[in-house]
Amino acid sequence: MNKNYYAILMAGGVGSRFWPVSTEEFPKQFHDMLGTGDTLIQKTFQRLSRLIPKENIFILTNERYNDLVLEQLPEVTERQVVLEPAMRNTAPCILYASLKIQKENPDAVMIVAPSDHWIEDEAAFTKNVEQAFSFCEKHDALMTLGIQPTFPNTGYGYIEFDKSSTEDIKSVNQFREKPDYETAKAFIEQGNFLWNAGIFMWSVKSVVEAFKNNQPGLYAHFEKGIETYNTEAEEAFIAENYPLAENISVDYAVMETSKNVYVIAAEFDWNDLGTWGSLYDKLGKDSANNAVVNARTLTEDASGNMIRTKNNKIVVVDGLEDYIIVDKEDVLLIYPKAKEQDIKQVLKKVKDTYGEQYG
Protein backbone atom coordinates (compact mmCIF):
# COMPACT_ATOMS: atom_id res chain seq x y z
CA MET A 1 0.00 0.00 0.00
CA ASN A 2 1.10 3.57 -0.69
CA LYS A 3 2.47 5.10 2.53
CA ASN A 4 1.51 8.58 1.27
CA TYR A 5 -2.21 7.70 1.22
CA TYR A 6 -4.17 9.03 4.19
CA ALA A 7 -7.81 9.31 5.23
CA ILE A 8 -9.79 11.50 7.59
CA LEU A 9 -12.91 9.65 8.69
CA MET A 10 -15.50 12.13 9.98
CA ALA A 11 -17.29 10.65 12.99
CA GLY A 12 -18.41 13.53 15.19
CA GLY A 13 -22.07 13.94 14.23
CA VAL A 14 -25.08 13.14 16.40
CA GLY A 15 -27.50 11.84 13.73
CA SER A 16 -30.57 13.18 15.53
CA ARG A 17 -32.96 12.22 12.69
CA PHE A 18 -32.24 8.58 13.63
CA TRP A 19 -33.57 9.08 17.14
CA PRO A 20 -34.32 7.13 19.32
CA VAL A 21 -31.54 4.73 18.22
CA SER A 22 -29.06 7.56 17.61
CA THR A 23 -28.45 9.78 20.65
CA GLU A 24 -25.86 12.32 21.72
CA GLU A 25 -24.24 9.70 23.95
CA PHE A 26 -24.29 6.95 21.28
CA PRO A 27 -24.77 8.35 17.75
CA LYS A 28 -25.69 6.44 14.61
CA GLN A 29 -22.16 5.86 13.27
CA PHE A 30 -21.54 3.54 16.22
CA HIS A 31 -24.70 1.47 15.55
CA ASP A 32 -25.31 -1.44 13.19
CA MET A 33 -28.06 0.43 11.38
CA LEU A 34 -28.29 -2.04 8.49
CA GLY A 35 -28.32 -5.24 10.55
CA THR A 36 -25.14 -6.51 8.86
CA GLY A 37 -23.12 -7.27 11.99
CA ASP A 38 -20.89 -4.20 11.54
CA THR A 39 -21.50 -0.65 12.68
CA LEU A 40 -21.41 2.16 10.12
CA ILE A 41 -17.99 3.38 11.28
CA GLN A 42 -16.61 -0.18 11.08
CA LYS A 43 -17.93 -0.56 7.51
CA THR A 44 -16.39 2.77 6.49
CA PHE A 45 -13.02 1.93 8.07
CA GLN A 46 -12.97 -1.43 6.27
CA ARG A 47 -13.82 0.27 2.96
CA LEU A 48 -11.03 2.84 3.31
CA SER A 49 -8.48 0.23 4.38
CA ARG A 50 -8.81 -1.49 0.97
CA LEU A 51 -6.63 1.34 -0.37
CA ILE A 52 -5.15 3.20 2.59
CA PRO A 53 -2.78 1.78 5.24
CA LYS A 54 -4.78 1.29 8.43
CA GLU A 55 -2.28 3.32 10.44
CA ASN A 56 -2.91 6.29 8.09
CA ILE A 57 -6.67 6.43 8.71
CA PHE A 58 -7.43 9.19 11.19
CA ILE A 59 -10.77 9.36 13.00
CA LEU A 60 -12.09 12.88 13.59
CA THR A 61 -14.64 12.87 16.39
CA ASN A 62 -15.87 14.66 19.47
CA GLU A 63 -13.84 13.91 22.57
CA ARG A 64 -16.84 12.27 24.22
CA TYR A 65 -16.67 9.47 21.60
CA ASN A 66 -12.99 8.60 22.07
CA ASP A 67 -13.74 5.39 23.98
CA LEU A 68 -16.39 4.30 21.47
CA VAL A 69 -13.93 4.72 18.57
CA LEU A 70 -11.19 2.72 20.29
CA GLU A 71 -13.67 0.02 21.31
CA GLN A 72 -15.19 -0.40 17.84
CA LEU A 73 -11.93 -0.02 15.89
CA PRO A 74 -9.37 -2.03 17.87
CA GLU A 75 -6.78 -1.66 15.05
CA VAL A 76 -6.68 2.10 15.67
CA THR A 77 -4.19 3.69 18.08
CA GLU A 78 -4.76 6.84 20.13
CA ARG A 79 -2.49 8.71 17.69
CA GLN A 80 -5.14 8.23 15.00
CA VAL A 81 -8.09 9.60 16.99
CA VAL A 82 -8.25 13.36 16.49
CA LEU A 83 -10.53 14.80 19.16
CA GLU A 84 -12.64 17.95 18.94
CA PRO A 85 -13.25 19.56 22.36
CA ALA A 86 -16.19 21.53 20.85
CA MET A 87 -18.56 21.29 17.87
CA ARG A 88 -17.22 23.66 15.19
CA ASN A 89 -18.46 22.31 11.82
CA THR A 90 -16.18 20.70 9.23
CA ALA A 91 -13.63 23.37 8.25
CA PRO A 92 -11.80 23.72 11.60
CA CYS A 93 -11.49 19.97 12.19
CA ILE A 94 -10.33 19.26 8.62
CA LEU A 95 -7.73 22.04 8.77
CA TYR A 96 -6.50 20.83 12.17
CA ALA A 97 -6.19 17.21 11.01
CA SER A 98 -4.55 18.30 7.73
CA LEU A 99 -1.87 20.28 9.57
CA LYS A 100 -1.17 17.24 11.77
CA ILE A 101 -0.84 14.97 8.72
CA GLN A 102 1.29 17.50 6.81
CA LYS A 103 3.71 17.68 9.74
CA GLU A 104 3.94 13.88 9.73
CA ASN A 105 4.13 13.46 5.95
CA PRO A 106 4.29 16.54 3.66
CA ASP A 107 3.78 14.27 0.61
CA ALA A 108 0.43 12.94 1.83
CA VAL A 109 -2.68 12.78 -0.34
CA MET A 110 -5.89 12.23 1.53
CA ILE A 111 -9.59 11.55 1.43
CA VAL A 112 -12.09 13.11 3.80
CA ALA A 113 -15.11 10.81 4.15
CA PRO A 114 -18.16 10.70 6.44
CA SER A 115 -18.33 7.64 8.69
CA ASP A 116 -22.04 6.93 8.21
CA HIS A 117 -22.67 6.62 4.47
CA TRP A 118 -23.81 3.51 2.62
CA ILE A 119 -21.75 2.44 -0.43
CA GLU A 120 -22.50 -0.90 -2.04
CA ASP A 121 -19.85 -1.33 -4.76
CA GLU A 122 -16.67 -0.91 -2.74
CA ALA A 123 -14.43 -1.86 -5.69
CA ALA A 124 -15.88 1.02 -7.73
CA PHE A 125 -15.42 3.36 -4.74
CA THR A 126 -11.75 2.33 -4.45
CA LYS A 127 -11.25 2.85 -8.20
CA ASN A 128 -12.68 6.38 -8.06
CA VAL A 129 -10.57 7.32 -5.03
CA GLU A 130 -7.43 5.98 -6.74
CA GLN A 131 -8.27 8.11 -9.80
CA ALA A 132 -8.58 11.17 -7.59
CA PHE A 133 -5.38 10.44 -5.64
CA SER A 134 -3.40 10.00 -8.86
CA PHE A 135 -4.69 13.36 -10.14
CA CYS A 136 -4.03 15.13 -6.83
CA GLU A 137 -0.44 13.84 -6.70
CA LYS A 138 0.26 15.57 -10.02
CA HIS A 139 -1.91 18.71 -9.78
CA ASP A 140 -2.81 21.44 -7.31
CA ALA A 141 -6.41 20.28 -7.01
CA LEU A 142 -9.30 20.10 -4.57
CA MET A 143 -11.47 17.17 -5.60
CA THR A 144 -14.86 15.79 -4.68
CA LEU A 145 -16.90 12.74 -5.61
CA GLY A 146 -20.32 13.67 -7.02
CA ILE A 147 -23.28 11.31 -7.17
CA GLN A 148 -25.34 10.95 -10.34
CA PRO A 149 -28.85 12.17 -9.40
CA THR A 150 -31.61 9.58 -9.75
CA PHE A 151 -34.47 11.98 -8.97
CA PRO A 152 -34.89 15.72 -8.16
CA ASN A 153 -33.84 15.47 -4.52
CA THR A 154 -34.27 18.68 -2.52
CA GLY A 155 -32.30 17.37 0.47
CA TYR A 156 -28.82 17.54 -1.10
CA GLY A 157 -26.60 20.30 -2.36
CA TYR A 158 -25.58 20.05 -6.04
CA ILE A 159 -22.29 20.37 -7.93
CA GLU A 160 -22.40 22.02 -11.36
CA PHE A 161 -19.53 20.83 -13.57
CA ASP A 162 -18.12 21.87 -16.95
CA LYS A 163 -20.52 20.35 -19.48
CA SER A 164 -18.05 20.60 -22.35
CA SER A 165 -15.48 18.29 -20.73
CA THR A 166 -15.17 14.72 -22.01
CA GLU A 167 -12.74 13.69 -19.25
CA ASP A 168 -13.66 11.59 -16.20
CA ILE A 169 -12.31 14.38 -14.00
CA LYS A 170 -14.21 17.59 -14.67
CA SER A 171 -13.70 21.12 -13.39
CA VAL A 172 -16.43 22.45 -11.10
CA ASN A 173 -18.27 25.61 -12.15
CA GLN A 174 -20.04 26.13 -8.84
CA PHE A 175 -21.68 24.53 -5.82
CA ARG A 176 -25.43 25.04 -5.45
CA GLU A 177 -27.38 25.01 -2.20
CA LYS A 178 -30.26 22.58 -1.56
CA PRO A 179 -32.82 23.57 -4.22
CA ASP A 180 -36.60 23.57 -4.30
CA TYR A 181 -38.25 20.83 -6.36
CA GLU A 182 -38.57 22.79 -9.64
CA THR A 183 -34.93 23.91 -9.46
CA ALA A 184 -33.80 20.35 -8.75
CA LYS A 185 -35.77 19.18 -11.81
CA ALA A 186 -34.06 21.84 -13.93
CA PHE A 187 -30.64 20.75 -12.64
CA ILE A 188 -31.26 17.16 -13.71
CA GLU A 189 -32.58 18.21 -17.13
CA GLN A 190 -29.39 20.21 -17.75
CA GLY A 191 -27.34 17.04 -17.28
CA ASN A 192 -24.26 18.57 -15.66
CA PHE A 193 -25.28 18.49 -12.00
CA LEU A 194 -24.29 15.93 -9.37
CA TRP A 195 -25.32 15.48 -5.75
CA ASN A 196 -22.73 16.72 -3.28
CA ALA A 197 -21.84 13.71 -1.11
CA GLY A 198 -19.35 15.53 1.10
CA ILE A 199 -16.44 13.25 0.09
CA PHE A 200 -13.23 15.18 -0.66
CA MET A 201 -9.74 14.30 -1.92
CA TRP A 202 -6.60 16.46 -2.18
CA SER A 203 -2.92 16.59 -1.39
CA VAL A 204 -2.25 17.89 2.08
CA LYS A 205 -0.20 20.68 0.50
CA SER A 206 -3.13 21.82 -1.69
CA VAL A 207 -5.75 21.85 1.06
CA VAL A 208 -3.51 23.69 3.55
CA GLU A 209 -2.69 26.25 0.84
CA ALA A 210 -6.42 26.65 0.10
CA PHE A 211 -7.13 27.42 3.75
CA LYS A 212 -4.17 29.82 3.86
CA ASN A 213 -5.48 31.74 0.82
CA ASN A 214 -9.24 31.61 1.48
CA GLN A 215 -9.44 31.54 5.28
CA PRO A 216 -6.31 33.35 6.50
CA GLY A 217 -7.77 33.96 9.96
CA LEU A 218 -8.74 30.32 10.51
CA TYR A 219 -5.41 29.15 9.07
CA ALA A 220 -3.42 31.45 11.38
CA HIS A 221 -5.49 30.28 14.36
CA PHE A 222 -4.45 26.65 13.88
CA GLU A 223 -1.02 27.23 12.33
CA LYS A 224 0.21 28.95 15.51
CA GLY A 225 0.00 25.57 17.25
CA ILE A 226 2.10 23.74 14.65
CA GLU A 227 4.99 23.15 17.06
CA THR A 228 2.67 21.27 19.42
CA TYR A 229 1.04 18.97 16.85
CA ASN A 230 1.91 15.30 17.24
CA THR A 231 3.53 16.04 20.60
CA GLU A 232 2.33 15.86 24.22
CA ALA A 233 1.69 19.64 24.15
CA GLU A 234 -0.98 19.32 21.43
CA GLU A 235 -3.86 18.45 23.76
CA ALA A 236 -3.45 21.60 25.87
CA PHE A 237 -3.17 23.85 22.80
CA ILE A 238 -6.31 22.37 21.21
CA ALA A 239 -8.30 22.47 24.47
CA GLU A 240 -7.64 26.20 24.72
CA ASN A 241 -7.85 27.24 21.08
CA TYR A 242 -10.25 24.89 19.30
CA PRO A 243 -13.43 26.29 20.93
CA LEU A 244 -12.40 29.79 19.70
CA ALA A 245 -12.32 28.70 16.03
CA GLU A 246 -14.94 29.98 13.60
CA ASN A 247 -17.93 27.69 13.05
CA ILE A 248 -17.82 27.15 9.27
CA SER A 249 -18.18 24.25 6.83
CA VAL A 250 -15.37 23.17 4.52
CA ASP A 251 -17.71 23.83 1.56
CA TYR A 252 -18.07 27.51 2.47
CA ALA A 253 -14.48 27.85 3.70
CA VAL A 254 -12.56 26.57 0.67
CA MET A 255 -14.54 24.55 -1.88
CA GLU A 256 -16.93 27.31 -2.99
CA THR A 257 -14.23 29.99 -3.14
CA SER A 258 -11.37 28.09 -4.81
CA LYS A 259 -10.71 27.98 -8.57
CA ASN A 260 -8.93 24.61 -8.64
CA VAL A 261 -11.93 22.40 -7.80
CA TYR A 262 -12.68 19.18 -9.72
CA VAL A 263 -15.26 16.40 -9.53
CA ILE A 264 -15.51 12.74 -10.49
CA ALA A 265 -18.98 11.32 -11.11
CA ALA A 266 -19.05 8.32 -8.78
CA GLU A 267 -19.46 4.87 -10.32
CA PHE A 268 -21.03 3.40 -7.17
CA ASP A 269 -24.48 3.51 -5.57
CA TRP A 270 -24.53 5.84 -2.58
CA ASN A 271 -26.87 6.84 0.21
CA ASP A 272 -26.07 9.29 3.00
CA LEU A 273 -28.27 7.34 5.46
CA GLY A 274 -29.53 10.62 6.88
CA THR A 275 -33.04 9.52 7.85
CA TRP A 276 -35.12 6.44 8.64
CA GLY A 277 -36.61 6.76 5.15
CA SER A 278 -33.19 6.65 3.48
CA LEU A 279 -32.36 3.54 5.53
CA TYR A 280 -35.69 1.99 4.49
CA ASP A 281 -34.76 2.58 0.83
CA LYS A 282 -31.55 0.52 1.16
CA LEU A 283 -32.86 -2.44 3.15
CA GLY A 284 -34.45 -5.61 1.81
CA LYS A 285 -38.23 -5.76 2.12
CA ASP A 286 -40.77 -8.44 3.00
CA SER A 287 -43.71 -9.29 0.73
CA ALA A 288 -45.61 -6.21 1.95
CA ASN A 289 -42.63 -3.88 1.47
CA ASN A 290 -41.84 -3.62 5.17
CA ALA A 291 -38.14 -3.17 5.97
CA VAL A 292 -37.20 -5.00 9.17
CA VAL A 293 -34.01 -4.83 11.25
CA ASN A 294 -33.51 -7.26 14.16
CA ALA A 295 -37.24 -7.86 14.76
CA ARG A 296 -39.46 -10.89 14.15
CA THR A 297 -42.72 -9.61 12.70
CA LEU A 298 -46.35 -10.60 12.26
CA THR A 299 -48.05 -8.12 9.95
CA GLU A 300 -51.62 -7.74 8.75
CA ASP A 301 -52.73 -4.98 6.39
CA ALA A 302 -49.36 -3.32 7.07
CA SER A 303 -47.04 -2.14 4.29
CA GLY A 304 -44.17 0.23 3.60
CA ASN A 305 -43.11 0.36 7.25
CA MET A 306 -39.60 0.74 8.68
CA ILE A 307 -39.44 -1.58 11.72
CA ARG A 308 -36.42 -1.82 14.01
CA THR A 309 -36.05 -3.32 17.49
CA LYS A 310 -33.34 -4.88 19.61
CA ASN A 311 -32.81 -8.49 20.57
CA ASN A 312 -35.07 -10.32 18.10
CA LYS A 313 -38.26 -8.86 19.58
CA ILE A 314 -41.61 -10.00 18.16
CA VAL A 315 -43.51 -7.07 16.64
CA VAL A 316 -47.18 -7.36 15.63
CA VAL A 317 -48.40 -4.62 13.28
CA ASP A 318 -51.93 -4.31 11.92
CA GLY A 319 -53.33 -1.49 9.82
CA LEU A 320 -50.27 0.75 9.53
CA GLU A 321 -48.83 1.99 6.24
CA ASP A 322 -45.58 3.94 5.70
CA TYR A 323 -44.68 4.30 9.36
CA ILE A 324 -41.39 4.28 11.26
CA ILE A 325 -41.62 1.85 14.20
CA VAL A 326 -38.51 1.88 16.37
CA ASP A 327 -38.24 0.28 19.81
CA LYS A 328 -35.26 1.12 22.00
CA GLU A 329 -35.28 0.32 25.71
CA ASP A 330 -37.44 3.03 27.31
CA VAL A 331 -38.46 4.81 24.09
CA LEU A 332 -40.91 3.61 21.42
CA LEU A 333 -41.30 5.72 18.27
CA ILE A 334 -44.32 5.21 15.98
CA TYR A 335 -44.18 8.01 13.43
CA PRO A 336 -45.21 8.65 9.79
CA LYS A 337 -42.37 8.28 7.30
CA ALA A 338 -43.69 11.33 5.47
CA LYS A 339 -42.85 13.47 8.52
CA GLU A 340 -39.39 12.01 9.17
CA GLN A 341 -37.70 15.41 8.83
CA ASP A 342 -39.63 16.52 11.94
CA ILE A 343 -38.00 13.92 14.20
CA LYS A 344 -35.43 16.53 15.30
CA GLN A 345 -38.29 18.66 16.63
CA VAL A 346 -39.91 15.63 18.28
CA LEU A 347 -36.63 14.88 20.03
CA LYS A 348 -36.47 18.44 21.36
CA LYS A 349 -40.02 18.15 22.73
CA VAL A 350 -39.20 14.81 24.40
CA LYS A 351 -36.10 16.28 26.05
CA ASP A 352 -38.00 19.37 27.18
CA THR A 353 -40.81 17.24 28.62
CA TYR A 354 -39.02 14.19 30.02
CA GLY A 355 -35.37 15.18 30.35
CA GLU A 356 -32.09 15.31 28.44
CA GLN A 357 -31.36 11.63 29.13
CA TYR A 358 -33.82 10.63 26.37
CA GLY A 359 -31.78 12.32 23.63
Side-chain angles (χ1 to χ4, degrees):
M1 282 191 177
N2 191 323
K3 63 180 175 53
N4 292 334
Y5 286 2
Y6 281 73
I8 296 176
L9 201 163
M10 307 285 283
V14 174
S16 54
R17 286 178 296 177
F18 270 113
W19 183 81
V21 168
S22 183
T23 65
E24 286 185 18
E25 288 301 313
F26 206 112
K28 68 171 178 174
Q29 59 269 29
F30 301 108
H31 288 277
D32 176 10
M33 299 301 298
L34 294 155
T36 62
D38 290 312
T39 66
L40 295 178
I41 194 171
Q42 288 170 335
K43 291 284 286 184
T44 306
F45 187 88
Q46 291 161 14
R47 184 184 313 127
L48 292 172
S49 65
R50 292 168 64 108
L51 177 66
I52 296 160
K54 288 183 178 180
E55 64 272 17
N56 289 357
I57 301 174
F58 286 74
I59 317 300
L60 254 174
T61 192
N62 190 279
E63 58 185 15
R64 70 161 75 173
Y65 306 137
N66 186 40
D67 290 345
L68 275 172
V69 169
L70 294 172
E71 177 187 318
Q72 294 202 1
L73 301 174
E75 317 89 315
V76 162
T77 65
E78 290 193 20
R79 159 190 158 272
Q80 293 165 253
V81 186
V82 182
L83 299 175
E84 307 164 79
M87 302 284 265
R88 283 294 176 273
N89 216 315
T90 52
C93 60
I94 289 172
L95 174 57
Y96 165 38
S98 299
L99 287 168
K100 279 174 61 66
I101 290 170
Q102 185 180 45
K103 188 176 179 184
E104 179 176 295
N105 182 351
D107 296 322
V109 291
M110 55 201 260
I111 178 172
V112 177
S115 61
D116 51 6
H117 288 183
W118 176 92
I119 291 170
E120 185 167 350
D121 189 344
E122 298 196 343
F125 171 81
T126 302
K127 176 193 168 188
N128 287 157
V129 175
E130 280 186 302
Q131 274 181 291
F133 277 4
S134 178
F135 189 83
C136 292
E137 283 178 319
K138 300 181 183 74
H139 303 87
D140 177 22
L142 306 178
M143 294 202 62
T144 184
L145 286 177
I147 308 301
Q148 200 69 54
T150 51
F151 66 99
N153 194 316
T154 59
Y156 300 141
Y158 284 70
I159 302 164
E160 181 184 351
F161 62 83
D162 177 8
K163 201 171 187 177
S164 65
S165 173
T166 57
E167 303 296 323
D168 288 343
I169 296 172
K170 303 178 190 299
S171 62
V172 171
N173 293 342
Q174 61 179 323
F175 289 81
R176 303 290 286 266
E177 295 299 308
K178 295 174 183 177
D180 59 30
Y181 183 75
E182 290 304 318
T183 306
K185 273 177 65 178
F187 286 171
I188 290 177
E189 286 164 8
Q190 282 181 239
N192 63 324
F193 283 81
L194 301 167
W195 288 337
N196 183 358
I199 302 172
F200 307 106
M201 290 111 349
W202 40 54
S203 70
V204 71
K205 180 180 178 183
S206 288
V207 72
V208 169
E209 193 67 20
F211 273 106
K212 190 175 181 179
N213 293 335
N214 294 296
Q215 298 293 328
L218 189 65
Y219 171 78
H221 185 71
F222 281 96
E223 198 275 337
K224 68 185 179 185
I226 199 76
E227 293 302 319
T228 73
Y229 296 157
N230 308 335
T231 74
E232 290 183 359
E234 178 181 342
E235 186 177 351
F237 172 81
I238 289 299
E240 180 182 347
N241 289 279
Y242 196 94
L244 305 176
E246 183 181 358
N247 190 331
I248 183 172
S249 74
V250 72
D251 296 78
Y252 281 122
V254 295
M255 298 302 284
E256 295 181 13
T257 50
S258 298
K259 304 299 183 190
N260 57 332
V261 182
Y262 298 85
V263 65
I264 294 176
E267 297 175 30
F268 49 85
D269 286 338
W270 168 91
N271 190 301
D272 72 339
L273 292 185
T275 64
W276 286 112
S278 64
L279 178 63
Y280 170 87
D281 290 341
K282 288 304 169 191
L283 291 169
K285 315 290 191 297
D286 66 15
S287 59
N289 276 328
N290 297 302
V292 181
V293 178
N294 297 337
R296 292 177 288 167
T297 58
L298 286 172
T299 59
E300 186 75 32
D301 191 26
S303 63
N305 297 301
M306 173 71 236
I307 303 168
R308 188 188 196 278
T309 68
K310 288 183 71 174
N311 303 326
N312 221 18
K313 182 173 282 190
I314 295 171
V315 180
V316 181
V317 185
D318 191 336
L320 278 185
E321 184 176 343
D322 294 331
Y323 266 72
I324 299 161
I325 304 163
V326 180
D327 179 63
K328 182 187 176 239
E329 292 148 5
D330 49 1
V331 176
L332 172 64
L333 177 74
I334 303 171
Y335 205 74
K337 270 198 326 210
K339 295 173 66 177
E340 65 176 7
Q341 296 293 343
D342 297 339
I343 288 177
K344 277 188 176 184
Q345 284 70 49
V346 172
L347 171 57
K348 184 178 184 306
K349 289 177 185 175
V350 169
K351 288 161 76 171
D352 289 346
T353 305
Y354 295 108
E356 289 289 324
Q357 70 269 28
Y358 291 101

